[in-house]
Structures are given as C-alpha cells and as structure tokens.
C-alpha cells in the first residue's frame, strides 16, 4: 500500500527553533482520595489485562516541517522521553505548532510473561510484545539529490511479526532505519481497530507527491468501547481518510475498569473542575431543576386520554423504560402557572451528571445535563439584518449538555465537549476560559441554550456569508455553578445501587408536546420576502440547518440520546 515517497521542500533555517510552550492547568491538581491500589484512578498506570500502560507527556523533538516562514504553520514530531524501566514505546507523537505542546503517548509492559511450554487456547502462548521484523520507509522530505541527509524527515512503519500489530509510526531525521527495539508490536488479540480522526498536516510538491498526517482514535467508542488511543499518528500518501489502517489501537481486557474514579473521587473531580454555566444577559428562558418543574404543575399527557395527570415531584408516576413510543408527553401547566414555569427558576437549577468510561476506561467523561422548561424562538441573520422568528426553534422541555473529559492516568482535565444543537465540538483545555482555578466557563446561547467555549455570535449556517441562525453567548449575572449545583444521576460502571438514578431519568418519552404549526413554512415565508440577490443563498443554507429546528415532536430526555452510551458527535 505504501512505498517510498520523496518531497522537494525549501529548507527553513528555523527548523530546529525552540519547542512550543507546554500547557499546564491554571491551578495545581488536587490530591485525590485514594484506594489501596497502585493502578487506580490518577495513579499514573493502568492495567489492561496482560499489559500495563503508562502515559508519557514529556518528549524529545525529532523533526519539524514548516509550511511557511511562520513556524506556527508547521508541525513537529516527537519521541517519548523518560520511559520507565521495563516499559516500551509503541510509536511517536505529532502535533501542529500553533498550539501549546500537550499530548501523550502510551508505553507498555507485560504484566506476566508466558513461560516456556505454556499454552493458550491449545496453542503455545506468545509474548504480548515483540520487536518489529523490519521497517518500511513510507515518506521522506529528501529526494536523494543532496549529499547531506541530516535535517530531513523520514517516516517509518514497523513491520510486525505474524500475529502482531504495529500501533504507530516512527519519525527520524536521518535515513538510517531505527533500531528494532525502538518500538514494540503488540499481539493482535490484545489490539482493537482504530481510525483516522483529525488531519494534522497535508502537503504535496509540484509533482503532486503527497504527505498526510492524521491523529488516530479507536473505531469502537462509548461506554462499551474497549479501544484505547496510544497517542501516536498515522502517515499516509493520500489526502482522504483511509478506511483500513495498517496500525491498531490497544484494547482493555480488564472488565473491572479499575482506573475509573470511585464515588468520592467523582465528587472531588466535580468540585475541582465543575464549570460555571453563563446565560446571555437577555435570556428569559432560564433553567430549573426537574423537581421544580414537576412541583409547579408540569402535566403528563397520554395519547387517547383527554385528561392530563399532574406529575409527582420525583417523577415516580411517569412511565419508565422501553423506548419513545410517542404515547406520552409532558407539557407546561395548563393553568395560570404556565407562563411562570416557561421562564424557569435559576435558583433551583442544577447540572445532572452522568459519569462514564471513555477510550476503554483510560478517560472519564462527565456529561453535565441542564434542563430548561422552554426553548425560545431563533433569530435569523442575513448580513447585517436580524429577523426574529416567532416559532422556529421553539419547544417545551429543553435538555442540553456539555461533557468534561478527565485523564484517568493523572486526574487532569483534558478537554470539554460543547453540545451545539445537532453537533458539537471538543475543545482542549488550553483553549478554554477559566473563571477560578481549574473551573472553566461554558456559555449558553440565548434562547437555544447551545454550549460554547467563548462569548460572541456563532452563526449556524454560513459564517462566511453571514447567513444563518444566530447563537449569541455572553457572560452575565445569570449563571449556574456546576461545581456546587449538581446531582450525580448515573454512573453505571460503579455497579448496581452505587448511584440512585432518579425516577424521571427512566422516562424515555417526550418532554414536550407535538408542535402543531409548520415552522419550516414560517421560515420559507421570511426567505421569500428577502431581496432576490440573497434569497437563493439563504434558502440553500436554511435547507442545511439541523432538522431539530423544524421537528414537531417534543425532545426526549438524556437517557434516550445516542450519546448516553455512545461517544459524543464529533
């Protein structure tokens, strides 16, 4: 699949300039309550069964590539530094230069080595780790016309023995093959499938010779995913993603997930990292607790029954389990309290936290859900003109969330996922705004309650043309501090009974009634009144807006969302 690829490039004198600054969180990480284990949460090492892994975040610079005189437009390649005795590297690390140096690679060792004569499934037991047989040169920046090869970059793919898999590529600055012991290959049954994720670098010469560098991640993710990212990169001679990679991820065979935090540690994590959720100063549709919503007259409707029932404060009379069969829905009170409940109750509001494993239990995801009794109408932006919409985006019962991802090796906050309507984005910790210590800020957009890492106006549509649905976010005195105003509602990995899930969480039906108007028709009427020169552009962009803006069904609760057991949409 891969052959020798050369690239003729202009030498940059700054190639070996200083490394980017290393990112550290604003405040020290706390001392976590520890159990009697040397491989538990934040202990630095995680057992995966036959293997034990350790995270390396200190690196030695190998080679860099600059796309221009501006070094920040380039990328750098590193090898792990300070590998503990008995552990072995699995691959090298790469990142762009326009961000602080913050990444990791995993190094591994065998927990128990097979003895001569041992058999596994009727066959002789093979070691978990083996040296590669050889290396294949995948790409080089030197076309061979220069006598001095120093300073050029070379990418090598380990050739694994039969029954083993390579887990990453190696970068060198000289054409000499790496030593066979530079990295280890892993027995195939201890690995899982991986896939390309983010494109780090793509470039080619005038002869169309291509280099593409991708980050990689496990193909199987979510609560039940066992794949583990080793932090290495994938090197390809194609710009497009590659479906069947010739490298793999690790796989966690430890069903106890012993590196996941216990309940005491979860509380410390939330108190230490819990973000402050700021609402727009003009927001009128504020959150409340679910109990406040029920206490103040929320009603349960049943299809075919004209009489609605008040909901018990704990939701115990809601139908639980199953899936959304469209037979039940919740609505605002039908009496004078309707307009009061619609605007929420900030004093009662809290974040409902779902704690779950990520990347085979090497990370912990804390999905923080906020409930708003009502989602307000959207605003359409067309250039400098803002058109308030009376119906589009409006519905009863709005569930939104953001997710903290914490490393189980160190207890360090790694990133936060900001859910934004039909999608979202992971933002690394170095690009977050912090309000106090290691507590980040999350901005909730006006009326729609989507989450953003920074204030401003994000256009859902075409920001280039300035056409789409506005998402305005700003700091105000309207906020919820998730580090104190929270409730842990689920953590399945802790076992039955460790966390009492609220009754309402089992309600898998709709938290709002079916909308009886055609919101898309309203939008089309507005578009038809626009000047001809922008009408087609606006219509094209509106056609691509998320269907949830036009859905007539009420929204479902957290446990009915696909990211409850799956990974976030990214």
């Amino acid at each position: 699949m891969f052959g020798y690829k050369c690239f003729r490039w202009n030498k940059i004198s700054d190639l070996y300039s200083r490394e980017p600054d290393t990112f550290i969180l604003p405040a020290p990480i706390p001392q976590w309550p520890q159990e009697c284990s040397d491989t538990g949460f934040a202990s630095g090492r995680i057992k995966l069964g036959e293997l034990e892994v350790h995270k390396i975040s200190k690196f030695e610079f190998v080679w860099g590539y600059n796309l221009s005189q501006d070094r920040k437009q380039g990328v750098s390649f590193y090898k792990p530094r300070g590998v503990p005795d008995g552990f072995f590297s699995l691959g090298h690390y790469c990142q762009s230069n326009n961000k602080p140096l913050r990444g990791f690679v995993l190094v591994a060792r065998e927990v128990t080595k097979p003895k001569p004569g041992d058999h596994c499934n009727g066959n002789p037991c093979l070691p978990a780790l083996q040296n590669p047989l050889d290396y294949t040169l995948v790409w080089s920046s030197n076309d061979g016309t220069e006598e001095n090869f120093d300073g050029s970059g070379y990418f090598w793919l380990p050739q694994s023995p039969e029954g083993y898999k390579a887990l990453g590529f190696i970068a060198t600055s000289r054409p000499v093959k790496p030593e066979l012991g530079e990295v280890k290959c892993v027995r195939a049954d201890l690995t899982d499938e991986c896939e390309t994720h983010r494109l780090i670098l793509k470039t080619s010469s005038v002869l169309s010779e291509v280099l593409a560098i991708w980050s990689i991640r496990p193909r199987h993710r979510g609560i039940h995913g066992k794949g583990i990212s080793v932090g290495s990169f994938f090197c390809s001679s194609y710009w497009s993603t590659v479906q069947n990679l010739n490298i793999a991820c690790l796989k966690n065979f430890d069903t106890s997930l012993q590196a996941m935090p216990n309940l005491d540690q979860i509380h410390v994590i939330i108190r230490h990292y819990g973000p402050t959720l700021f609402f727009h100063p003009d927001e009128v549709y504020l959150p409340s607790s679910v109990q406040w919503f029920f206490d103040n007259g929320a009603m349960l409707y049943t299809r075919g029954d004209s009489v609605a029932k008040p909901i018990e404060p704990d939701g115990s009379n809601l139908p639980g389990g199953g899936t959304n069969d469209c037979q039940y829905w919740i609505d605002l009170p039908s009496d004078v309290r309707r307009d009061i409940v619609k605007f929420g109750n900030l004093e009662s509001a809290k974040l409902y936290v779902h704690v779950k494993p990520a990347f085979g239990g090497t990370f912990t995801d804390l999905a923080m859900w906020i409930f708003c009794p009502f989602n307000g109408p959207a605003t359409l932006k067309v250039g400098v003109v803002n058109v308030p919409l009376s119906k589009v985006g409006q519905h009863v019962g709005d569930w939104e969330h953001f997710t903290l991802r914490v490393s189980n090796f160190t207890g360090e906050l790694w990133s936060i996922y900001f859910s934004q309507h039909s999608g979202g984005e992971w933002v690394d910790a170095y690009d977050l705004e912090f309000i106090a210590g290691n507590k980040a800020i999350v901005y909730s957009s006006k009326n729609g309650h989507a989450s953003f890492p920074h204030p401003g106006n994000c256009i859902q549509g075409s920001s280039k043309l300035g056409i789409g649905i506005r998402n305005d976010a700003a700091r105000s005195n309207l906020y919820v501090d998730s580090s104190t105003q929270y409730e842990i509602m689920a953590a399945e990995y802790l076992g039955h009974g460790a966390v009492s899930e609220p009754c309402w969480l089992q309600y898998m039906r709709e938290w709002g009634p079916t909308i009886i108007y055609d919101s898309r028709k309203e939008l089309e009427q507005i578009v038809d009144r626009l000047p001809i020169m922008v009408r087609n552009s606006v219509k094209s962009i509106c056609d691509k807006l998320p269907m949830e803006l036009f859905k007539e069904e009420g929204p479902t609760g957290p446990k009915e969302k696909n990211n409850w057991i799956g990974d976030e949409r990214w």
Side-chain angles (χ1 to χ4, degrees), residues 261-271 350-356 364-369 482-494 497-505 564:
N262 59 35
L263 196 56
D264 289 338
Q265 292 167 336
I266 291 172
H267 284 292
V268 176
I269 290 171
I270 296 173
R271 289 195 291 266
K350 63 175 71 173
L351 277 299
Y352 297 96
V353 186
H354 178 209
V355 189
K356 53 185 179 176
T364 295
D365 278 2
L366 297 95
M368 294 189 159
W369 292 86
S482 70
S483 69
T484 58
Q485 296 167 263
Y486 73 91
E487 175 185 330
I488 300 173
M489 64 174 175
E492 296 92 339
Y493 72 90
L494 290 177
V499 173
S500 298
E501 296 187 2
C503 295
W504 53 259
L505 184 60
W564 182 265

Side-chain angles (χ1 to χ4, degrees), residues 47-49 226 252-259:
K47 288 183 179 179
L48 309 179
K226 302 299 182 183
N252 192 353
F253 287 88
D254 181 9
T255 57
S256 69
L257 296 177
Q258 41 78 33

Side-chain angles (χ1 to χ4, degrees), residues 446-488:
K446 181 175 177 289
N447 285 3
H449 309 132
S451 300
F452 293 91
H454 306 290
N457 174 27
C458 179
I459 299 296
Q460 192 173 358
S462 173
S463 56
K464 182 179 180 180
L465 297 176
I467 301 173
I469 299 297
R470 290 181 64 104
N471 286 277
D472 293 284
R475 194 186 298 201
S476 71
N477 60 357
L478 305 171
Y479 63 87
V480 180
D481 181 356
S482 70
S483 69
T484 58
Q485 296 167 263
Y486 73 91
E487 175 185 330
I488 300 173

Side-chain angles (χ1 to χ4, degrees), residues 50 78 147 179 265 277 355 360 384 406 428 437 465 494 552:
E50 292 186 45
Y78 303 90
E147 296 181 0
E179 295 183 2
Q265 292 167 336
L277 178 61
V355 189
V384 297
V406 175
D428 291 328
L465 297 176
L494 290 177
E552 294 185 346

Side-chain angles (χ1 to χ4, degrees), residues 150-272:
D150 291 344
S152 297
Y154 304 85
F155 299 101
W156 308 86
L157 174 64
Q159 296 301 301
S160 55
E162 184 178 356
Y164 288 80
K165 293 278 189 179
L167 272 69
F169 287 75
I170 296 178
T172 66
S173 58
R174 302 196 66 185
V176 180
K177 287 184 180 181
E179 295 183 2
L180 293 181
E182 176 74 15
V183 294
K184 293 287 187 179
C185 298
V186 178
R187 205 173 69 227
D189 62 301
L190 303 180
T191 67
D192 204 358
E193 293 179 87
C194 64
E195 64 184 19
T196 55
H197 181 208
R198 290 173 175 160
L199 184 63
I200 301 174
L201 171 69
K202 66 174 182 179
T203 187
S204 64
S205 72
V206 294
L207 299 178
S208 299
E209 294 163 332
V210 173
L211 169 65
I213 301 292
W214 301 79
S215 65
I216 52 178
R217 65 180 182 181
R219 178 164 292 171
H220 308 294
R221 301 182 301 281
I223 288 181
H224 304 299
K226 302 299 182 183
I228 296 172
S229 174
V230 300
S232 186
F233 63 90
F234 179 75
C235 177
S236 172
S237 57
Y238 301 93
W239 283 1
S240 59
T241 57
V242 180
Q243 295 300 318
N244 298 312
L245 306 189
N246 49 4
I247 59 174
C249 289
L250 286 174
K251 189 173 184 178
N252 192 353
F253 287 88
D254 181 9
T255 57
S256 69
L257 296 177
Q258 41 78 33
M260 291 290 293
N262 59 35
L263 196 56
D264 289 338
Q265 292 167 336
I266 291 172
H267 284 292
V268 176
I269 290 171
I270 296 173
R271 289 195 291 266
H272 184 75

Side-chain angles (χ1 to χ4, degrees), residues 204-399:
S204 64
S205 72
V206 294
L207 299 178
S208 299
E209 294 163 332
V210 173
L211 169 65
I213 301 292
W214 301 79
S215 65
I216 52 178
R217 65 180 182 181
R219 178 164 292 171
H220 308 294
R221 301 182 301 281
I223 288 181
H224 304 299
K226 302 299 182 183
I228 296 172
S229 174
V230 300
S232 186
F233 63 90
F234 179 75
C235 177
S236 172
S237 57
Y238 301 93
W239 283 1
S240 59
T241 57
V242 180
Q243 295 300 318
N244 298 312
L245 306 189
N246 49 4
I247 59 174
C249 289
L250 286 174
K251 189 173 184 178
N252 192 353
F253 287 88
D254 181 9
T255 57
S256 69
L257 296 177
Q258 41 78 33
M260 291 290 293
N262 59 35
L263 196 56
D264 289 338
Q265 292 167 336
I266 291 172
H267 284 292
V268 176
I269 290 171
I270 296 173
R271 289 195 291 266
H272 184 75
Y273 290 124
T276 298
L277 178 61
F278 279 101
F279 293 86
H280 193 276
D282 297 328
E283 181 66 78
V284 295
Y285 302 109
L286 292 166
S288 75
S289 69
V290 173
Q291 182 174 342
W292 182 90
F293 181 56
F294 293 163
D295 277 339
N296 284 271
M299 306 295 287
L300 174 66
Y301 287 79
T302 304
R303 190 172 301 281
D305 189 345
S306 59
V307 180
K309 298 177 181 178
I311 301 174
E312 295 294 331
D314 62 355
S316 56
N317 64 328
L318 291 170
T323 57
N324 181 22
D325 54 13
C326 300
Q327 296 300 304
Y328 303 90
W329 65 91
I330 295 174
D331 202 355
L332 299 168
S334 56
D335 55 25
V336 294
R337 294 175 294 178
R338 185 177 184 88
D339 285 338
I340 296 174
V341 172
K342 179 185 289 188
F343 299 115
N345 179 265
L346 194 62
E347 291 72 22
S348 71
K350 63 175 71 173
L351 277 299
Y352 297 96
V353 186
H354 178 209
V355 189
K356 53 185 179 176
F359 289 161
T362 55
F363 285 86
T364 295
D365 278 2
L366 297 95
M368 294 189 159
W369 292 86
I370 190 79
F371 174 74
C372 295
F374 196 78
N375 192 88
T379 298
L380 177 66
K381 177 178 174 60
V382 184
V384 297
V385 178
N386 296 306
V387 183
L389 305 175
S390 62
K391 298 177 180 179
V392 175
Q394 183 175 279
H395 59 81
V396 174
D398 188 30
W399 280 103

